Amino acid sequence: MVDLLNVHPVLLCGGSGTRLWPLSRQSYPKQFTRLIGNQSLFQASALRTLAEGFAAPVVVTGDSFRFIVLEQLAAVEMSPAAVLIEPDGRNTAPAVLVAALWLIQQDPEAVMLVSASDHVIPDDAAFREAVMAAVPSALEGKLVTFGIQPTRPETGYGYLELGEGCSAEANDPQPLRRFVEKPNAERAALMLQSGNFLWNAGIFLFTARAVLDAFKIHAPELLEHGGAALAEATRDLSFTRLAPEPWSKLENISIDYAIMEKATNLVVMPYRAGWSDLGGWEAVWQETGPDETGNVVSEHATAIACSGSLLRSEAPGVELVGIGLEDMIAVAMPDAVLVAKRADAQRVKDAVAALKERGAKQAGAFPTELRPWGSSERIAGGERFQVNHVVVKPGGVLALQSHLHRSEHWIVVQGTARVTIDDETRLVGESQSVYIPLGAPHRMENPGKVPLVLIEVQTGGYLDEDDIVRLEEVYGPATD
């Protein structure tokens, strides 16, 4: 009987998710958003393996997401085995490599289940069953890739061609003939008709030892620099920061190109219980489940004489109304609105590029800035003033800081703030306010058991965040 206690989920948690703008942005990509259901895609990915036979997940992510990862896991009562912080994104091959190197130090016989953290897999039990069925092949030293039974002639996915005489209906891993790049529509239709091709889901199962052996053979330079990045890593709170100097020498390359398309010990596990990479608003429309008129309509959105459309408002104060729309997408955020034909859903990334060209903050910055201590959202602003809605979590502490160009007023709406200005510390309760003069060292803490909510009014000649002079950090550079 296979001991499934050695199965270690590895969640790859990078990416910018520009095809789901304006909800998904560089500062808060799609894996952390609630696109479908009451959990984020990242939380759903972690919970999928919260079952007997699976270890706590290893998360590979970027520096700016590290506290979001911990907070979202804590919200579903999970803790990671490790959070490995990449100095910058280098695609999936380096991420898988360092996860394997970390795991083999903990468990020389570790079996790794590698997946992205932003995919939709509706049937968790069926997925775990497929993983269990593939474990014996992994223990034999095979590299297992999961192939999804196609439901349409999709041109946005790569494909996996099964070996001769193999079946896409099989319940165990099958020999893989080859990887196929994203096809055109005609080729995709032929592959769907043949029944011998599966979508490449980018989900893998193998032992840490087997994949490291593959790196030795096919990408030894990656193994060298990745090994150095982990060996020279530093601890930061509960995180493992990979060393930036050796990491910078790693090639930016996917695990498919670096290993999978070169290896000869590959098999594919067919999976038929539903999957989507949620790669655009068209996919969100499909996976959410259109009603009898073909519409998907969120709270704070209204469809009148519409068909085949997605109407979604992500701002409680913004009511989105569509009249007479056919096959359209409309997504409203507090600071940006997207309107497009469903057929043009993949062109959203072009809009993000255009916004970046214009220098618009909305291209990459989320309207609510998340911090390890809480969040801050701009709610009004103009020449020489800005108003922010600030929430500080219980126990949250902001950096000791000062400003060269602005003063601030804090008005407490809920909870109690412990405020330090110069050498004086005092408590500020609900409906009370405090003034921070320009240049004064100051700090705010939430000593209570409930969230601290306040309105911050900034006034001065320069109000951007680089006006902060950090005198004492709490959570690390530029995060307070």
Side-chain angles (χ1 to χ4, degrees):
M1 184 176 179
V2 175
D3 181 7
L4 291 179
L5 291 177
N6 283 333
V7 176
H8 297 262
V10 175
L11 296 177
L12 307 183
C13 202
S16 58
T18 55
R19 289 180 293 177
L20 286 169
W21 185 90
L23 180 58
S24 173
R25 309 189 195 183
Q26 185 175 1
S27 66
Y28 198 72
K30 70 173 182 176
Q31 60 263 31
F32 300 121
T33 63
R34 295 179 181 178
L35 277 161
I36 294 178
N38 296 321
Q39 298 157 344
S40 72
L41 298 177
F42 171 69
Q43 289 172 318
S45 298
L47 288 169
R48 193 168 298 128
T49 56
L50 185 61
E52 184 179 358
F54 293 88
V58 174
V59 181
V60 186
T61 192
D63 181 70
S64 58
F65 304 143
R66 66 194 193 279
F67 288 106
I68 302 175
V69 163
L70 290 187
E71 184 174 300
Q72 291 209 348
L73 286 177
V76 293
E77 300 181 339
M78 292 186 68
S79 297
V83 179
L84 307 180
I85 306 298
E86 300 174 305
D88 58 73
R90 295 272 157 170
N91 216 315
T92 55
V96 172
L97 170 62
V98 294
L101 289 168
W102 186 89
L103 275 170
I104 206 166
Q105 293 175 2
Q106 322 304 316
D107 178 4
E109 305 304 320
V111 176
M112 304 170 57
L113 174 64
V114 178
S115 66
S117 58
D118 58 359
H119 292 178
V120 171
I121 300 178
D123 193 334
D124 290 353
F127 178 73
R128 290 192 294 267
E129 184 178 344
V131 171
M132 293 178 185
V135 166
S137 292
L139 292 176
E140 292 171 1
K142 302 290 187 182
L143 305 181
V144 182
T145 181
F146 284 71
I148 309 301
Q149 186 174 51
T151 57
R152 60 187 182 275
E154 176 62 56
T155 60
Y157 299 151
Y159 284 71
L160 305 167
E161 184 177 5
L162 297 175
E164 186 176 353
C166 297
S167 172
E169 301 292 329
N171 294 316
D172 58 350
Q174 302 290 294
L176 175 64
R177 181 181 177 189
R178 62 176 176 136
F179 287 78
V180 179
E181 295 293 331
K182 296 176 182 178
N184 60 28
E186 181 180 1
R187 176 65 174 150
L190 290 173
M191 289 193 293
L192 178 65
Q193 185 178 8
S194 77
N196 203 43
F197 292 83
L198 301 171
W199 289 337
N200 182 5
I203 302 172
F204 307 101
L205 185 78
F206 35 65
T207 64
R209 191 183 307 279
V211 77
L212 290 176
D213 286 344
F215 273 100
K216 289 178 186 176
I217 297 170
H218 303 295
E221 68 290 346
L222 289 179
L223 185 61
E224 175 188 356
H225 300 312
L230 183 63
E232 299 170 24
T234 57
R235 292 291 293 173
D236 176 8
L237 301 176
S238 60
F239 309 107
T240 298
R241 288 186 175 275
L242 300 167
E245 196 277 330
W247 186 263
S248 67
K249 298 177 182 178
L250 285 162
E251 183 181 1
N252 187 328
I253 187 171
S254 72
I255 190 71
D256 279 358
Y257 286 141
I259 301 297
M260 299 300 166
E261 295 187 7
K262 301 174 183 177
T264 58
N265 58 333
L266 262 70
V267 293
V268 57
M269 180 66 203
Y271 185 70
R272 299 179 293 277
W275 167 90
S276 173
D277 72 345
L278 224 60
W281 287 113
E282 170 77 9
V284 174
W285 174 80
Q286 289 176 343
E287 293 297 323
T288 306
D291 62 19
E292 64 277 3
T293 61
N295 293 321
V296 173
V297 182
S298 75
E299 188 180 7
H300 306 295
T302 303
I304 300 173
C306 296
S307 63
S309 296
L310 170 67
L311 279 70
R312 185 165 179 148
S313 174
E314 296 296 329
V318 176
E319 290 293 329
L320 175 64
V321 179
I323 301 176
L325 301 180
E326 293 184 14
D327 300 326
M328 296 291 292
I329 293 168
V331 181
M333 294 284 290
D335 63 338
V337 176
L338 168 71
V339 180
K341 295 179 180 177
R342 264 184 37 219
D344 290 330
Q346 294 299 317
R347 297 186 60 189
V348 172
K349 58 186 178 182
D350 299 334
V352 175
L355 289 172
K356 286 183 178 178
E357 183 74 19
R358 287 174 39 207
K361 292 182 179 180
Q362 290 90 334
F366 208 66
T368 300
E369 296 182 7
L370 299 175
R371 296 286 186 264
W373 47 260
S375 64
S376 175
E377 179 184 3
R378 175 177 169 169
I379 56 177
E383 187 175 355
R384 298 186 61 85
F385 83 94
Q386 181 167 296
V387 182
N388 300 319
H389 174 257
V390 179
V391 179
V392 184
K393 296 183 291 188
V397 183
L398 279 69
L400 182 66
Q401 58 189 261
S402 64
H403 306 290
L404 298 175
H405 301 284
R406 73 177 187 240
S407 59
E408 296 177 340
H409 284 85
W410 294 340
I411 303 98
V412 176
V413 177
Q414 173 185 296
T416 299
R418 180 185 291 129
V419 178
T420 299
I421 304 174
D422 292 320
D423 296 325
E424 179 187 355
T425 300
R426 57 176 163 145
L427 296 178
V428 182
E430 293 183 10
S431 300
Q432 295 180 324
S433 64
V434 63
Y435 171 66
I436 299 95
L438 184 150
H442 60 279
R443 162 174 281 161
M444 176 168 47
E445 308 171 55
N446 180 0
K449 302 296 184 183
V450 299
L452 167 63
V453 180
L454 62 139
I455 300 300
E456 177 187 61
V457 181
Q458 303 173 347
T459 57
Y462 185 81
L463 302 175
D464 285 353
E465 284 300 287
D466 57 2
D467 182 43
I468 297 176
V469 179
R470 299 177 186 276
L471 305 174
E472 183 181 308
E473 305 287 357
V474 178
Y475 303 100
T479 59
D480 299 344

